Amino acid sequence: MSMIPSRMAPFLLILAGTALSGCVAKTALDVVTAPVKVAGKAVDLATTSQSEADEKRGRELRKREERLGKLERRYADQIDDCRGGDEDACEKARESYDEMQAIIPTIPAEPDPRT
């Protein structure tokens, strides 16, 4: 003997069919949209936003500016020693100057405050 009354059997079949069709439809939708979601995630990971690119450029610029500042201070000390007759300091000053000349074009000019 069944525990479900025979009057309720059709209702339960319809209810079960409706519930299962929703599950099947949801699963089918998940299967169809999964490649799109994966591709979208990959694009997000592969691309750099404009703000991230700007931040990276700013960090690189600050590092070059810091390097130039250190070289300028070192160069000034080396020139003083060179003028005092230290030939080794003269050679080091030339090397520092060459490195400074390589960095200077990579640093954008500050806008003129008078304009």
Side-chain angles (χ1 to χ4, degrees), residues 63-80:
K63 284 182 182 180
R64 288 192 304 263
E65 289 173 337
E66 288 172 11
R67 179 68 183 148
L68 181 60
K70 288 178 184 178
L71 284 168
E72 288 172 338
R73 290 187 295 276
R74 184 183 305 159
Y75 177 73
D77 291 341
Q78 292 165 340
I79 286 296
D80 286 342

Side-chain angles (χ1 to χ4, degrees), residues 42-57 59:
V43 168
D44 287 345
L45 293 174
T47 59
T48 304
S49 73
Q50 186 62 44
S51 64
E52 290 170 327
D54 290 345
E55 289 171 9
K56 183 177 179 184
R57 256 193 313 279
R59 280 192 300 271

Side-chain angles (χ1 to χ4, degrees), residues 78-99:
Q78 292 165 340
I79 286 296
D80 286 342
D81 293 344
C82 178
R83 288 184 181 140
D86 184 350
E87 287 297 319
D88 189 45
C90 294
E91 179 60 32
K92 288 180 182 178
R94 282 189 282 278
E95 292 170 5
S96 295
Y97 182 81
D98 290 343
E99 190 173 347

